[in-house]
Amino acid sequence: MLNKEPDTAERVTDLESRIVFLEDTIETLNGELAELSREFRLAKQALQHMYKRMEHMQSGDSGIANPADEPPPPHY
């Protein structure tokens, strides 16, 4: 009868190595997901800010004078 213990020990070692690799991968992916979530939140805030500015500009409340609406300078 053959001794199966070396195969079992190798399998356990292989499984332990895979677990360590998977844990590292999960930790890396979790960090990337957190960073992407932060970037998405910032992009969403910037987009909301731009929409508000566009609404103000369309309502004529931009705070920026339109040169076409101003009278010509006195030297014309």
Side-chain angles (χ1 to χ4, degrees):
M1 191 173 231
L2 293 175
N3 188 354
K4 298 277 182 175
E5 284 189 39
D7 289 334
T8 302
E10 286 177 24
R11 290 180 65 202
V12 168
T13 302
D14 183 52
L15 290 173
E16 288 173 340
S17 297
R18 288 180 185 203
I19 289 171
V20 169
F21 175 76
L22 290 173
E23 286 175 342
D24 182 57
T25 301
I26 289 169
E27 187 175 321
T28 301
L29 289 173
N30 190 38
E32 290 293 320
L33 181 60
E35 177 65 20
L36 286 173
S37 293
R38 186 185 70 79
E39 290 176 5
F40 178 76
R41 212 172 22 257
L42 290 173
K44 185 177 175 182
Q45 290 172 350
L47 187 59
Q48 288 172 341
H49 179 71
M50 292 301 294
Y51 276 128
K52 286 179 185 176
R53 287 190 62 171
M54 286 178 58
E55 287 175 356
H56 287 292
M57 290 176 73
Q58 288 176 348
S59 68
D61 186 25
S62 67
I64 301 171
N66 185 353
D69 294 338
E70 293 186 16
H75 63 278
Y76 276 104

